[in-house]
């Protein structure tokens, strides 16, 4: 094994705190969602949105890598992820992801094949496999 990169972030506070990326220096303001008692119209994000962003970008990158490695021509890869936070009585919370993958410039069969290959290849997908329900739409 060879480590390719390492990224570190620091969270200060909880849902009304900040997350700072130590490489870029970017800071993300966290806000409690309205569904959890937060105030409406506040700028900021939340852990669920950040997780969905990480998953979507990692899956899209994995699919693009596999398409390029196979010599398959395509126009664009788009991955939209909805992250559902679900409460399970007596167990806590878990995620369900609804994933919409589109690869323009290929047939529907090629699109499905590379979506599936991408999910098997993507480190986010492999990390959550068996722990998070993924619904492909």
């Amino acid at each position: 094994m060879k480590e390719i990169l390492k990224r570190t972030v620091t969270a200060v506070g909880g849902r009304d705190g900040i997350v700072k990326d130590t490489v870029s220096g970017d800071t993300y303001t966290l806000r409690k969602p309205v569904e959890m008692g937060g105030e409406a119209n506040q700028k900021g994000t939340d852990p669920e949105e950040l997780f969905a962003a990480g998953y979507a970008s990692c899956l899209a990158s994995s699919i693009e890598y596999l398409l390029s490695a196979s010599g398959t021509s395509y126009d664009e890869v788009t991955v939209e992820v909805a992250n559902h936070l679900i409460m399970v009585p007596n167990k806590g919370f878990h995620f369900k992801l609804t994933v919409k993958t589109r690869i323009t410039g290929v047939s529907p069969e090629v699109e499905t094949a590379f979506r599936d290959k991408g999910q098997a290849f993507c480190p986010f997908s492999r990390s959550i496999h068996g722990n998070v329900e993924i619904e492909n739409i």
Side-chain angles (χ1 to χ4, degrees):
M1 277 194 279
K2 177 183 172 189
E3 183 176 293
I4 302 298
L5 63 86
K6 176 182 175 184
R7 294 293 182 259
T8 304
V9 299
T10 301
V12 179
R15 290 188 174 274
D16 285 315
I18 62 165
V19 176
K20 183 173 184 172
D21 179 339
T22 58
V23 173
S24 69
D26 290 343
T27 299
Y28 304 95
T29 301
L30 299 174
R31 293 289 180 231
K32 188 183 298 181
V34 172
E35 299 89 341
M36 293 181 162
E39 295 179 28
N41 301 319
Q42 285 197 338
K43 283 195 165 252
T45 188
D46 56 62
E48 293 75 23
E49 188 172 61
L50 292 171
F51 185 85
Y55 183 86
S57 59
C58 189
L59 180 57
S61 295
S62 294
I63 292 169
E64 286 181 335
Y65 173 85
L66 293 169
L67 285 161
S68 294
S70 72
T72 304
S73 295
Y74 67 98
D75 294 329
E76 184 176 67
V77 175
T78 304
V79 178
E80 178 183 306
V81 175
N83 186 3
H84 309 266
L85 182 63
I86 299 169
M87 172 59 132
V88 180
N90 302 317
K91 289 189 178 182
F93 295 100
H94 78 264
F95 291 145
K96 173 187 174 185
L97 302 180
T98 304
V99 181
K100 181 178 179 180
T101 304
R102 296 296 176 257
I103 306 170
T104 56
V106 300
S107 70
E109 295 79 19
V110 169
E111 180 179 69
T112 299
F114 276 94
R115 179 204 64 210
D116 294 347
K117 289 177 188 179
Q119 287 179 328
F121 183 82
C122 169
F124 266 74
S125 290
R126 289 193 335 270
S127 295
I128 65 173
H129 182 74
N131 295 311
V132 175
E133 179 184 353
I134 296 177
E135 177 186 13
N136 291 301
I137 57 171

